[in-house]
């Protein structure tokens, strides 16, 4: 039990930190359908004999509730993503929300500070998962699986600094697809890119581009530019910021913060400006310095083969070999990729926003081995769909279009025009439920007919079953179409069959 | 970044605690499809130039991965539960995995010690959610919603002591349905019981019974038996253990640990042995002591009305008024209920196990007010389906039956009998994917035909498309049924249409 004596001080501190903090909340609020914060002091009243702390009622910083409207959109997008993963033969997997702290350590380079740790309550040291990739690798090693094609959809948590990255949440969904196993080169890698194309095309988010590079090319560039090997990881992390800050800013970080020689940074700068198709791969293969580097050469040869397969898949026009792409995570070892929307889908009335990357991934051939007692390798390649940003775009569109989203699926409403018909309504609605028909009624003894019909119009219920004195006498019920307002009498005993007939026709 | 200097000591402590701990893991292992623990020392190898800690690779205590086989079962059960919730007009909602610590405090009586807290990393004090009810109440108050019928499916976390409760997980799914709003008495309450019946019948888990009581009757019994009001909550928590330990054990806890007079405990004992139908409600209404208690009287009158509605729903034979039912959580204020399976579904070869309650819930009219600055009440009633135990039962059944569960949905496999047909296979499979057909192929340049056909048989793929030299010459492909092994030649350009025709027929 929490010690009550500590509470008022803690609550005060929490309040103070709220008031002093920059208004991150405004950003969260703009995204959600409901206000995420009720700026009010709350006094708990469950046990009136105890003194209660006062606190501001809100969701934790960087998190939000999803309202029913948002849930409908989310469900549709997730369904679409999952059905694509299944189309490619993936199996489902679920892993715990938290892992042993040791499992996550050393996997995320400079992002490790963003991991949420659980309090040591006398047991294991635990952390909330940071992505779905490391848990997947841990699962493979733990179960000694040598191959697996799996998808996983679930929340991950990152303590992102709200001032740095606008519009990002600290809790968000990831949708991952990965292929583990020793296969012939670039076939699974090409399929991952195909999947990204299928999903981004299917969701109709507008034009997109998938930037592709290879971690070995990144390392090769670093090597030929003169970056000391001990600095590869940290310089790679700096380069990963190129989609958020300019080359000038990245160069400054490399030189001032990471201690890179300015001329080395400039040499890197010369390479990272390049992007193009398979011809750029050929060009780089001719680059006198790069082609001498074993790592870079391997990466370039791989990309050449990859482009051949992408041509067969018919998706090369969506792919750009981009030497500035780094991907911040430590565990990538081969091809890496990141999909970006080419234009902000700003329509009239929409506020423009930077959506950043909407999907990303790459090859990580060494990660599973770090969990295997004998260091056995299981090569892996995979992708993650940035559904959170996709939700944002789709939600904005719906908002702009003024389209009304139904948040329930109710097919039939049970109504009465008379008093004292509660019992008949209850009996009738139970019949509908038992027949699998989605049905609602008002939880009132004697509701007004108009109130009942308005409820149907407001919530989009298409059919109303009406039962009253007259109908009861005649052994019928009235079936009313909410759209046309037409009513017809139906024999009471045929009710379920008649409704099912109408529902199957619509 | 975690301080590396601390690691070896921590890792050693973790290892030691593993070795000294009672073998909880054996229980987890028996449930999952895969071994949850690889008892081996692991050395991280990502950065070979750094020294790495060794640790045992496992999921955190009381948690587990869900294998593809388990995910298929889980998905089917969740689909069934959610479709019932939607049939009753519920909207979806999602809330963050963690809440402000203050939100959860004082809500769970003596179970508060089981809440997972997050480490204070310089920000708000957070805890993982313990159920979906308190977050729902917080959501209603925060958004000033006066009514809502919502369902929510998500993980919750409880630091249950593994030695005390066998077969329970510390991370588990809850499936909740709740009706918030001021309505006429017992109509939503009756619907909640109807939903529990629909789900438990629909899942075909065997015979079940729903115990019903009212928190006001519990309090009334305590009052007339002479329990001091200050002890109501803690005595109620003891009584809640009646499904796990005998009355004798509960009585001992009440007297020895909670300081209740023995004769008071015995008077409670007289009441809690009663259970029956609506006639027991009538009988208790005649009880000279109980009927004098305002609280108890209100509760009994409510149950009388409830039974009337349950009769109209046709489910009274599933309901038992049980005076021993207490429900441990603090927030219940009215009717409470809990569904139990009447017989363990032990078939030949199944190990018998105690599944406990598989669904539960009740009315909580004061909880939302504890989050509202002005203390406005939003009466609520709801239920939670114990899907984790239901999964267990269904998984056991599948195991016993030897039934093979398909973990993918792949419809077509693209194969070749010849070497050097990778490019043709890639082109062909892309066509299938683009037509929405679920298709796989082996990630090999030159796989053997037999390997390819075995893969289909092992994974249950019904159709194989075969392309080879002969077919290419003739402008056809062969379509093979895996079940019948019959093959027919189909014009290459008709392939997609022909496959779609066959899939729509099956």
């Amino acid at each position: 039990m929490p010690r009550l004596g500590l509470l008022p001080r803690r609550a005060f501190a929490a309040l103070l930190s709220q008031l002093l903090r920059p208004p991150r909340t405004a950003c969260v609020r703009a995204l959600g359908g409901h206000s995420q914060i009720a700026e009010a002091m709350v006094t708990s009243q469950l046990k009136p004999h105890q003194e209660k702390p006062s606190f501001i009622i809100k969701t934790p910083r960087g998190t939000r509730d999803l309202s029913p409207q948002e849930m409908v959109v989310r469900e549709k997008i997730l369904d679409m993503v999952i059905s694509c993963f299944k189309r490619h033969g993936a199996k489902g997997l679920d892993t715990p929300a938290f892992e042993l702290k040791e499992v996550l350590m050393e996997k995320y380079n400079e992002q490790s500070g963003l991991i949420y740790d659980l309090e040591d309550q006398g047991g294991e040291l635990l952390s909330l998962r940071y992505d779905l990739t490391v848990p997947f690798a841990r699962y493979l090693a733990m179960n000694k699986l040598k191959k697996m094609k799996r998808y996983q959809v679930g929340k991950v948590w990152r303590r992102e600094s709200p001032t740095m990255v606008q519009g990002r949440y600290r809790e968000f969904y990831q949708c991952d697809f990965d292929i583990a196993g020793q296969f012939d080169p670039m076939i699974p890698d090409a399929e991952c890119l195909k999947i990204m194309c299928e999903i981004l095309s299917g969701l109709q988010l507008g034009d997109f581009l998938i930037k592709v590079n290879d971690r070995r090319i990144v390392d090769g560039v670093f090597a030929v530019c003169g970056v000391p090997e001990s600095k590869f990881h940290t310089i790679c992390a700096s380069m990963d910021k190129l989609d958020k800050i300019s080359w000038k800013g990245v160069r400054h970080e490399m030189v001032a913060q990471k201690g890179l020689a300015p001329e080395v940074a400039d040499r890197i700068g010369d390479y990272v400006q390049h992007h193009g198709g398979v011809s750029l791969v050929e060009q780089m293969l001719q680059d006198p310095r790069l082609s001498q580097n074993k790592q870079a050469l391997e990466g370039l040869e791989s990309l050449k083969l990859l482009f051949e397969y992408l041509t067969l898949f018919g998706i090369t026009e969506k792919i750009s070999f981009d030497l500035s792409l780094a991907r911040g995570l430590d565990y990538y070892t081969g091809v890496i990729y990141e999909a970006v929307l080419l234009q902000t889908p700003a329509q009239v009335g929409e506020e423009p926003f930077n959506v950043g990357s909407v999907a990303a991934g790459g090859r990580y051939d060494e990660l599973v081995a770090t969990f295997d007692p004998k260091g056995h390798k299981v090569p892996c390649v995979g992708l993650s769909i940035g559904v959170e940003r996709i939700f944002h775009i789709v939600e904005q569109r719906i908002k702009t279009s003024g389209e009304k989203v139904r948040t329930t699926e109710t097919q039939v409403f049970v109504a009465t025009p008379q008093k004292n018909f509660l019992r008949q309504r209850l009996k009738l609605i139970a019949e509908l439920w038992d027949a699998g028909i989605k049905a609602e009624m008002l939880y009132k003894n004697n509701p007004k007919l108009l109130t009942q019909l308005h409820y149907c119009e407001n919530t989009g219920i298409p059919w109303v079953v009406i039962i009253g004195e007259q109908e009861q006498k005649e052994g019928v019920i009235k079936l009313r179409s909410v759209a046309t307002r037409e009513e017809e009498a139906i024999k009471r005993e045929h009710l379920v069959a008649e409704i099912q007939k109408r529902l199957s026709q619509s």
Side-chain angles (χ1 to χ4, degrees), chain A:
Chain A
M1 287 282 286
R3 297 275 77 79
L4 290 176
L6 287 174
L7 293 180
R9 192 156 51 84
R10 273 197 197 163
F12 179 73
L15 174 63
L16 201 68
S17 97
Q18 274 307 318
L19 295 174
L20 295 177
R21 197 170 286 158
R24 153 80 176 168
T25 52
C27 155
V28 177
R29 190 176 238 156
L31 301 176
H34 283 270
S35 160
Q36 293 296 309
I37 295 175
E39 299 272 354
M41 303 298 286
V42 166
T43 305
S44 177
Q45 301 184 335
L46 256 187
K47 298 176 181 174
H49 57 284
Q50 293 184 5
E51 265 191 45
K52 284 292 136 53
S54 298
F55 64 100
I56 292 176
I57 178 130
K58 59 187 281 294
T59 56
R61 200 177 187 200
T63 69
R64 59 170 175 172
D65 299 317
L66 288 180
S67 70
Q69 288 77 9
E70 290 162 330
M71 285 295 282
V72 170
V73 175
R74 172 152 307 205
E75 237 178 77
K76 282 190 182 149
I77 293 170
L78 290 183
D79 281 355
M80 200 275 179
V81 170
I82 291 170
S83 80
C84 177
F85 292 163
K86 288 185 174 174
R87 187 159 63 239
H88 287 262
K91 303 173 176 189
L93 177 70
D94 189 43
T95 63
F98 41 73
E99 295 278 345
L100 295 184
K101 195 182 162 88
E102 289 106 325
V103 167
L104 302 192
M105 272 182 333
E106 316 284 318
K107 302 296 186 292
Y108 301 107
N109 204 349
E110 299 183 2
Q111 297 176 26
S112 300
L114 305 184
I115 294 174
Y116 278 97
D117 292 325
L118 268 70
E119 199 172 292
D120 183 359
Q121 291 170 292
E124 300 158 332
L125 295 176
L126 306 172
S127 301
L128 294 184
R129 65 185 177 201
Y130 188 81
D131 62 14
L132 302 176
T133 310
V134 170
F136 174 53
R138 191 264 307 144
Y139 176 81
L140 291 173
M142 207 172 95
N143 295 288
K144 302 197 187 339
L145 299 176
K146 292 295 169 217
K147 60 171 94 171
M148 182 176 194
K149 183 155 60 172
R150 84 89 178 79
Y151 75 90
Q152 186 171 355
V153 173
K155 286 177 175 179
V156 301
W157 296 270
R158 299 181 183 184
R159 298 175 61 249
E160 301 268 13
S161 163
T163 49
M164 193 188 127
V165 194
Q166 283 246 332
R168 273 204 196 168
Y169 291 100
R170 291 178 159 202
E171 172 183 81
F172 55 97
Y173 273 92
Q174 279 200 336
C175 298
D176 279 25
F177 172 99
D178 291 83
I179 301 171
Q182 183 68 59
F183 301 112
D184 283 332
M186 305 318 281
I187 312 179
D189 314 58
E191 183 168 357
C192 287
L193 290 166
K194 176 78 172 87
I195 288 174
M196 278 166 67
C197 284
E198 283 179 31
I199 288 172
L200 295 178
S201 306
L203 290 171
Q204 300 182 297
L205 300 171
D207 212 3
F208 62 89
L209 191 73
I210 304 177
K211 300 179 193 172
V212 173
N213 198 1
D214 193 295
R215 196 39 92 69
R216 291 165 296 178
I217 300 176
V218 176
D219 283 355
V221 166
F222 289 168
V224 304
C225 292
V227 178
E229 214 184 313
S230 62
K231 283 200 162 84
F232 275 19
H233 277 292
T234 188
I235 293 301
C236 184
S238 297
M239 210 170 105
D240 185 46
K241 296 177 186 161
L242 270 176
D243 59 333
K244 289 168 211 121
I245 52 177
S246 67
W247 167 248
K248 209 181 139 191
V250 169
R251 184 188 180 282
H252 177 78
E253 184 177 304
M254 287 177 173
V255 175
Q257 288 176 36
K258 313 254 167 119
L260 204 65
E263 63 276 16
V264 174
D266 288 333
R267 270 179 237 137
I268 297 174
D270 287 343
Y271 276 107
V272 299
Q273 63 179 315
H274 287 97
H275 52 89
V278 69
S279 61
L280 179 61
V281 180
E282 303 283 4
Q283 185 190 322
M284 287 295 145
L285 277 168
Q286 306 305 323
D287 183 280
R289 287 176 299 170
L290 220 48
S291 58
Q292 294 304 308
N293 181 282
K294 189 173 166 285
Q295 289 263 83
L297 193 63
E298 277 179 26
L300 288 165
E301 295 288 1
S302 293
L303 287 194
K304 203 176 148 188
L305 184 60
L306 178 68
F307 265 98
E308 203 184 320
Y309 296 160
L310 299 180
T311 307
L312 294 161
F313 283 162
I315 55 170
T316 37
E317 81 279 12
K318 296 289 181 198
I319 313 289
S320 166
F321 170 36
D322 190 325
L323 280 144
S324 75
L325 183 70
R327 303 288 303 135
L329 300 174
D330 256 18
Y331 48 65
Y332 289 118
T333 56
V335 61
I336 47 178
Y337 32 78
E338 190 170 292
V340 290
L341 297 188
L342 277 188
Q343 44 206 132
T344 60
Q347 299 170 0
V348 183
E350 271 183 22
E351 39 177 319
F353 55 91
N354 181 7
V355 290
S357 82
V358 288
R363 176 163 282 283
Y364 49 102
D365 286 349
E366 314 283 344
L367 186 59
V368 177
T370 66
F371 295 118
D372 187 273
K374 288 173 186 160
H376 285 310
K377 274 215 269 188
V378 180
C380 295
V381 63
L383 63 98
S384 186
I385 302 293
V387 275
E388 225 60 48
R389 295 175 186 193
I390 295 171
F391 294 142
H392 186 187
I393 295 165
V394 177
E395 274 163 23
Q396 284 289 330
R397 281 203 191 153
I398 290 171
K399 232 182 195 169
T400 310
S401 73
E403 187 193 329
K404 213 182 159 185
V405 177
R406 266 199 86 180
T407 54
T408 61
E409 299 176 8
T410 310
Q411 299 161 319
V412 179
F413 186 89
V414 176
T416 183
Q418 262 110 17
K419 287 195 174 177
N420 299 319
F421 265 77
L422 175 64
R423 277 147 193 82
Q424 290 86 339
R425 281 153 61 215
L426 288 173
K427 214 162 171 322
L428 205 158
I429 201 167
E431 261 178 64
L432 299 180
W433 288 330
D434 290 341
I437 295 165
K438 296 169 190 163
E440 282 186 84
M441 55 174 265
L442 293 192
Y443 302 123
K444 294 199 81 161
N445 290 322
N446 299 307
K448 287 184 184 142
L449 184 60
L450 208 61
T451 313
Q452 298 171 81
L453 296 179
H454 276 166
Y455 182 85
C456 298
E457 279 170 13
N458 290 337
T459 59
I461 302 173
W463 297 99
V464 189
V465 168
I466 301 174
I467 180 148
E469 271 170 37
Q470 190 60 31
E471 288 80 14
Q472 200 168 24
K473 232 178 271 167
E474 296 171 10
V476 298
I477 57 93
K478 262 193 229 144
L479 188 57
R480 178 187 168 110
S481 156
V482 175
T484 66
R485 302 190 177 185
E486 279 166 32
E487 295 184 354
E488 60 180 314
I490 286 174
K491 277 199 177 166
R492 178 69 177 77
E493 63 269 29
H494 297 162
L495 175 61
V496 165
E498 287 292 326
I499 288 177
Q500 280 169 335
K501 206 172 80 187
R502 276 160 187 79
L503 292 176
S504 69
Q505 284 162 352
S506 62

